[in-house]
C-alpha cells in the first residue's frame, strides 16, 4: 500500500504541475488584440476627484488592453520559417512539456543519488525511475524537432499555395476583363443587327462562372492565409503581404534513393525508442517479480507487445517511405504532362495570333484560347506546389 500511495501522490503532483504550466502557456496565434474578460478590472482607490474617501472607480480592461497591430506585415518565405520557431503555439506547448519532463528527470536523479534500497519503491527509485524520465525527455525533444520540420513544410506549402492562387486570381481578373470586352462588342453587333439577341447568352454564362471562380479563389486565399497566421502567431486581422515568388520546379535527385531508404529504416529513431522502452520495462518487470507485485504479469505482457511492434517497425517504415516516394514520382510524370499541355496551348495562341494579324480571324477568337492557357497554368502551379510538399515530407521521413 505504501508504494501505491506514493505513486498516486506523484501522479497528482505531476498532473497539477503540468496543468499549471499548460494553462499558462500563451496562445500566440490568437488575435494579438483580442478583448479580455469584462470581469478583469483596474480598481483605483480614493481618486483625487472623488467626493467620498470610500468610493472606488472600476476601469474596464477594454481601456487598458494592448491594441492590435494594424501595420502591414511584409512576409517573405524565409522570414516565415524563422518566425515559426518563436511564434507557434504548438511548439511552445511542447517546450513547456519538455521543461516539465526535464524537472522530473532531475528530481528522479536526485532521489537515486540519496536513496537507500529498503523496499520496492526505493528499488525503483534507484534502478528504474530515472531511466524512464530520461527516456520520456529524450523522446519529447525528438518529437519537438520533428514537429518543427513538419510545421516548416506545412507553412511552405500554404505560402506557395497562396502564391499560386494569387496568380490564378490575376488571370481570372484578366479573363473577366477580356470577357467584358467581348460582351460589349457582341451587344454592339446585336444592336446593329449583325447577330441575334441569344448570341450573348453563352458569354453571360461564362462571365458568371468566372465571377464564381473569383470568389472561390478569394476564399481559398483567405483560408490559407489564416493557417499561416495561426502557425506563426500573427493576429488574424492583421494584413499580411507575401513578398516571395513562386519557386521553379526542381526535380528531386533520387539517384541513390534505395540506399537512402535503407539507411532511414536502419536509423529510424523509433527503433531506439522501442528498444529502450523494452529495456526499461524489463527492469520494471524484474523489480515487480522480485517483490511479488501483482502488476508483474501485466508488465510482462506489455513487453511482448512492444517486441512485436519493434519487429514490425522496419517493414512499416519502408512501406511508408516507398509510398511517399511513389507519390513523388507520379507527380513528376503529371508535371511533365502539364508542361506539354501548356506548350500546346501556347502554339494554339500563336497560330491564332497569326490569323488575326493576317485579317483571317477576329481578335475575339483568341480570348477562349487564353482562358485555356490560364487554367492549365494554374494546374501546373498547383501540381508543383503539391510536388514540393511531397518532397519535403519524403526528406523529413528519411530523417525521422
Amino acid at each position: 500500500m505504501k508504494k501505491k500511495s506514493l505513486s498516486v501522490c506523484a501522479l497528482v503532483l505531476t498532473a497539477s504541475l503540468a496543468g499549471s504550466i499548460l494553462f499558462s502557456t500563451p496562445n500566440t496565434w490568437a488575435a494579438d488584440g483580442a478583448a479580455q474578460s469584462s470581469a478583469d478590472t483596474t480598481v483605483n482607490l480614493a481618486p483625487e476627484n472623488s467626493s467620498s474617501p470610500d468610493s472606488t472607480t472600476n476601469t474596464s480592461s477594454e481601456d487598458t488592453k494592448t491594441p492590435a497591430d494594424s501595420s502591414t506585415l511584409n512576409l517573405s518565405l524565409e522570414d516565415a520559417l524563422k518566425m515559426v520557431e518563436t511564434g507557434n503555439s504548438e511548439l511552445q506547448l511542447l517546450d513547456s512539456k519538455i521543461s516539465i519532463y526535464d524537472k522530473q528527470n532531475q528530481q528522479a536523479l536526485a532521489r537515486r543519488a540519496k536513496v537507500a534500497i529498503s523496499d520496492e519503491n526505493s528499488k525503483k527509485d534507484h534502478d528504474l525511475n530515472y531511466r524512464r524520465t530520461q527516456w520520456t525527455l529524450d523522446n519529447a525533444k525528438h518529437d519537438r524537432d520533428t514537429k518543427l520540420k513538419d510545421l516548416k513544410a506545412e507553412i511552405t506549402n500554404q505560402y506557395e499555395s497562396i502564391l499560386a492562387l494569387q496568380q490564378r486570381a490575376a488571370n481570372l481578373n484578366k479573363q473577366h476583363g477580356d470577357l467584358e470586352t467581348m460582351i460589349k462588342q457582341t451587344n454592339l453587333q446585336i444592336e446593329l443587327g449583325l447577330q441575334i439577341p441569344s448570341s450573348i447568352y453563352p458569354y453571360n454564362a461564362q462571365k458568371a462562372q468566372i465571377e464564381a471562380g473569383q470568389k472561390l479563389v478569394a476564399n481559398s486565399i483567405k483560408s490559407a492565409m489564416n493557417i499561416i497566421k495561426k502557425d506563426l502567431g500573427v493576429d488574424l486581422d492583421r494584413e499580411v503581404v507575401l513578398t516571395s515568388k513562386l519557386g521553379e520546379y526542381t526535380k528531386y535527385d533520387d539517384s541513390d534513393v534505395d540506399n537512402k531508404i535503407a539507411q532511414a529504416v536502419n536509423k529510424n529513431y523509433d527503433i531506439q525508442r522501442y528498444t529502450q522502452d523494452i529495456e526499461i520495462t524489463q527492469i520494471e518487470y524484474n523489480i515487480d517479480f522480485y517483490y511479488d507485485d501483482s502488476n508483474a504479469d501485466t508488465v510482462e505482457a506489455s513487453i511482448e507487445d512492444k517486441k512485436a511492434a519493434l519487429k514490425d517497425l522496419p517493414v512499416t517504415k519502408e512501406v511508408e517511405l516507398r509510398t511517399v516516394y511513389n507519390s513523388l514520382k507520379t507527380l513528376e510524370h503529371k508535371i511533365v504532362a502539364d508542361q506539354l499541355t501548356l506548350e500546346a496551348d501556347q502554339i494554339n495562341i500563336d497560330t491564332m495570333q497569326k490569323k488575326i494579324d493576317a485579317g483571317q480571324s477576329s481578335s475575339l477568337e483568341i480570348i477562349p484560347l487564353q482562358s485555356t492557357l490560364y487554367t492549365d497554368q494554374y494546374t501546373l502551379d498547383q501540381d508543383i506546389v503539391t510536388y514540393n510538399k511531397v518532397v519535403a515530407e519524403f526528406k523529413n521521413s528519411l530523417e525521422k
Side-chain angles (χ1 to χ4, degrees):
M1 293 300 294
K2 177 182 178 183
K3 180 195 72 174
K4 293 182 178 179
S5 298
L6 289 174
S7 300
V8 170
C9 291
L11 286 172
V12 170
L13 288 174
T14 301
S16 175
L17 175 59
S20 174
I21 292 183
L22 293 181
F23 282 111
S24 64
T25 302
N27 195 353
T28 56
W29 63 268
D32 297 338
Q36 300 174 358
S37 171
S38 60
D40 296 337
T41 58
T42 302
V43 180
N44 298 321
L45 298 179
E48 293 181 359
N49 297 327
S50 175
S51 59
S52 169
D54 297 327
S55 64
T56 61
T57 302
N58 290 335
T59 303
S60 171
S61 60
E62 292 290 334
D63 298 331
T64 59
K65 69 179 183 180
T66 303
D69 190 344
S70 60
S71 63
T72 298
L73 175 61
N74 294 313
L75 186 66
S76 68
L77 178 56
E78 182 181 1
D79 289 339
L81 297 180
K82 290 178 182 178
M83 288 176 64
V84 67
E85 187 83 45
T86 56
N88 185 266
S89 61
E90 293 180 78
L91 288 181
Q92 291 180 348
L93 177 58
L94 291 176
D95 287 339
S96 296
K97 289 183 177 180
I98 289 172
S99 178
I100 294 173
Y101 298 148
D102 184 56
K103 184 175 182 179
Q104 291 173 344
N105 181 239
Q106 295 301 320
Q107 292 171 340
L109 288 170
R111 287 194 300 272
R112 180 177 187 270
K114 62 182 180 181
V115 68
I117 300 176
S118 58
D119 56 12
E120 183 179 358
N121 289 329
S122 59
K123 179 65 172 175
K124 286 187 176 181
D125 274 340
H126 189 272
D127 293 349
L128 176 66
N129 295 338
Y130 79 96
R131 286 188 172 95
R132 178 65 72 186
T133 55
Q134 183 65 58
W135 178 82
T136 301
L137 176 61
D138 291 342
N139 291 336
K141 290 179 177 179
H142 173 81
D143 292 343
R144 197 263 188 196
D145 291 341
T146 299
K147 182 63 177 179
L148 176 59
K149 292 177 183 178
D150 291 342
L151 278 170
K152 287 185 175 182
E154 175 62 23
I155 289 171
T156 300
N157 177 253
Q158 293 296 335
Y159 193 105
E160 293 183 340
S161 294
I162 293 174
L163 293 178
L165 284 166
Q166 288 176 338
Q167 184 59 52
R168 175 62 172 165
N171 288 339
L172 283 173
N173 290 340
K174 189 174 188 307
Q175 285 180 256
H176 191 272
D178 291 342
L179 194 58
E180 287 281 11
T181 300
M182 184 179 292
I183 290 173
K184 288 179 181 179
Q185 294 193 23
T186 302
N187 281 329
L188 179 59
Q189 290 175 342
I190 292 173
E191 291 175 6
L192 296 175
L194 300 177
Q195 291 199 46
I196 59 176
S198 60
S199 61
I200 197 66
Y201 296 162
Y203 299 128
N204 288 334
Q206 188 177 359
K207 179 182 177 182
Q209 290 178 345
I210 290 177
E211 289 174 347
Q214 288 175 315
K215 293 178 181 179
L216 178 62
V217 169
N219 289 333
S220 298
I221 290 174
K222 184 176 180 180
S223 297
M225 187 68 79
N226 282 340
I227 292 175
I228 289 181
K229 291 177 181 178
K230 169 187 172 295
D231 286 340
L232 300 184
V234 176
D235 190 319
L236 294 182
D237 293 326
R238 188 177 181 186
E239 183 180 358
V240 175
V241 176
L242 305 186
T243 59
S244 296
K245 295 182 179 180
L246 190 61
E248 298 290 335
Y249 166 61
T250 302
K251 186 178 178 180
Y252 175 72
D253 181 8
D254 60 352
S255 56
D256 195 28
V257 68
D258 290 335
N259 184 49
K260 289 178 181 177
I261 291 177
Q263 289 183 0
V265 170
N266 293 331
K267 295 180 180 180
N268 183 19
Y269 181 84
D270 282 342
I271 293 178
Q272 173 185 319
R273 190 197 304 261
Y274 275 90
T275 300
Q276 291 179 346
D277 189 22
I278 292 170
E279 293 172 353
I280 294 169
T281 308
Q282 184 66 53
I283 294 173
E284 180 181 3
Y285 168 74
N286 293 340
I287 296 174
D288 287 345
F289 182 80
Y290 180 83
Y291 285 96
D292 198 23
D293 191 319
S294 60
N295 193 47
D297 290 343
T298 302
V299 174
E300 184 179 27
S302 72
I303 292 175
E304 296 306 312
D305 290 337
K306 293 171 182 178
K307 286 181 178 179
L310 178 60
K311 182 179 179 180
D312 292 340
L313 187 61
V315 175
T316 302
K317 179 67 176 179
E318 182 167 1
V319 170
E320 172 194 327
L321 289 169
R322 291 289 179 185
T323 299
V324 178
Y325 176 69
N326 289 337
S327 298
L328 186 153
K329 299 303 292 183
T330 298
L331 280 167
E332 286 180 355
H333 296 312
K334 192 172 187 309
I335 288 173
V336 171
D338 292 343
Q339 291 172 331
L340 292 174
T341 299
L342 272 181
E343 291 178 7
D345 292 341
Q346 190 61 56
I347 290 173
N348 290 337
I349 289 175
D350 293 341
T351 301
M352 178 58 69
Q353 187 61 55
K354 291 179 180 177
K355 290 182 179 180
I356 294 172
D357 294 341
Q360 298 174 355
S361 298
S362 166
S363 59
L364 297 178
E365 295 181 62
I366 203 171
I367 294 179
L369 300 180
Q370 290 174 332
S371 177
T372 300
L373 176 69
Y374 294 151
T375 300
D376 291 339
Q377 179 65 58
Y378 178 59
T379 299
L380 173 61
D381 291 342
Q382 279 186 311
D383 288 339
I384 291 175
V385 170
T386 303
Y387 178 78
N388 291 338
K389 179 183 180 181
V390 174
V391 169
E393 289 176 351
F394 184 65
K395 289 180 177 179
N396 288 346
S397 295
L398 289 174
E399 298 174 357
K400 288 182 179 179

